[in-house]
Amino acid sequence: MRFPSFKLGRADTFQARMQRARSEGYSRGAREAKLFRLSVGKSFDREQVLDWLSTAADEGRAELESQHALEREVEAWDMSFRIAFLVEIA
């Protein structure tokens, strides 16, 4: 996932970057939840879910921070990621 700061020769708007962060977080969270279910199976406990979620979210945050994403973008991505993951698991 990459957050380019320029699109067609002009800077992306803040609103567009935030929407992209939310969309990417949501889709990655849903994919990560599916991977969790495939890896762990049907029986899992709350602690397993939270450990997997924290690890995956930390990896995603680190990736965004290495790309110099704004803190608000990282927070929007993180929140969307966690919501999608937990909704998919429930």
Side-chain angles (χ1 to χ4, degrees):
M1 140 189 42
R2 217 164 149 77
F3 291 107
S5 51
F6 293 96
K7 186 176 184 181
L8 300 175
R10 61 179 187 199
D12 281 341
T13 65
F14 178 73
Q15 183 178 8
R17 290 179 66 162
M18 291 297 290
Q19 182 58 44
R20 190 169 45 250
R22 285 189 293 271
S23 296
E24 279 292 323
Y26 189 84
S27 64
R28 187 160 173 190
R31 283 192 314 266
E32 194 68 33
K34 290 176 185 172
L35 179 60
F36 173 80
R37 283 184 174 229
L38 288 171
S39 298
V40 176
K42 293 186 180 197
S43 64
F44 49 85
D45 63 17
R46 179 184 167 127
E47 190 165 320
Q48 286 177 299
V49 172
L50 295 178
D51 285 344
W52 187 291
L53 175 60
S54 292
T55 301
D58 289 345
E59 290 171 0
R61 289 179 70 91
E63 184 180 333
L64 291 174
E65 289 167 355
S66 73
Q67 296 174 16
H68 306 290
L70 300 172
E71 183 61 30
R72 289 183 67 185
E73 287 176 289
V74 175
E75 290 299 320
W77 179 91
D78 186 82
M79 210 178 317
S80 295
F81 176 86
R82 290 174 187 274
I83 289 168
F85 183 91
L86 293 172
V87 165
E88 192 71 34
I89 292 297

